[in-house]
Amino acid sequence: MLLPARVKYRKVHRGRRTGVATQGNDLAFGEFGLQASEAAWMSNRQIEAARRVMTRFVRRGGQVFIRVFPDKSVTKKPAETRMGSGKGAPEGWVAVIKPGRVLFEMGGVTPEMAKRAFQLAAYKLPMKTRTLGIKSGVKAAADVKIKGPAEVKPGEGVEGIAGAIAAPSAPGAAAAPAARGPKAAPGAAPTIKAAPGAAPKSAAAPKAAAAPAKPAKGGGKK
C-alpha cells in the first residue's frame, strides 16, 4: 500500500476540505479518467483496493495511473478513554480529495473496458465519481461522422449511413416519401391523384367505341 517514506511531522491538523481542486483536475497521462465529484478523505487501503479491481478486470492489459498519494496522517484515540491527554496516535494515511480531482487514469484499453473498470473501482471509494474521456453511449468514441448525404449503391442497405432515410419502425411515425414511378409517354392522358382519405377507385373498364350515328327520319335504305 502507498504511504510516505518519511514526514516532517508525525501528527498534523485535520484541516478543511472546502473549495474545488485547482490542480490535478484534468487528464495528463492516459486516455480515460475517474474524477471525484465530492470532497472526502481517501485512505491508502481504498486506493489499493480500487487499483487491484481495475488491474484484474483488464487482465493486466493497458496502463493504470494513480493520480493521488496518501500523505496526510490520521490519528485516533483508543476506545473507552477519557477526554484530554493530548492527541491520539497515528492510525493511517489518507489523501485529501476535493471535487474535480482526477483519481485514476487508464490508457491502452477500449472505452467499454475503461468504463466498466472505473465502475468497479468506484464501488471501493468513499465519494461520488464521474468518468472523463468516455462519451455517452461509449461506442460513440469510435464512430465516424459523415458530413452530407452518402451515396447508396443498388442493393446496399442504408443502415448506419448518415443522411439516409430509414423506414419508420414505431407506429404513428411519419411515413417516408413514396418512390416516383417511370414517366408517362408523350401524348398519354395525365393521371389524376386521389384526394387524401378518399376510397380507392376500382379499375374502370375501357369505354366502348362510339356507336354510329342514326340515319335521319325517312331516309331509310331503298
Side-chain angles (χ1 to χ4, degrees), residues 31-32 57-58 106-116 134 138:
E31 303 171 3
F32 316 104
F57 178 76
V58 299
M106 294 188 70
V109 295
T110 61
E112 294 86 350
M113 293 186 67
K115 182 176 182 179
R116 180 55 181 167
I134 302 178
V138 179

Side-chain angles (χ1 to χ4, degrees), residues 6 13 18 28 42 45 57 117 137 143 176 183 215:
R6 181 170 171 268
H13 292 180
T18 58
M42 191 172 173
R45 299 174 65 89
F57 178 76
D143 289 349
K183 293 184 178 180

Side-chain angles (χ1 to χ4, degrees), residues 167-196:
S169 56
R180 294 184 178 179
K183 293 184 178 180
T191 57
I192 302 175
K193 295 183 178 179

Side-chain angles (χ1 to χ4, degrees), residues 10-34:
R10 291 177 60 245
K11 303 175 184 179
V12 296
H13 292 180
R14 294 181 64 84
R16 293 182 175 87
R17 294 176 294 189
T18 58
V20 296
T22 56
Q23 295 180 350
N25 54 4
D26 200 0
L27 297 176
F29 302 99
E31 303 171 3
F32 316 104
L34 185 66

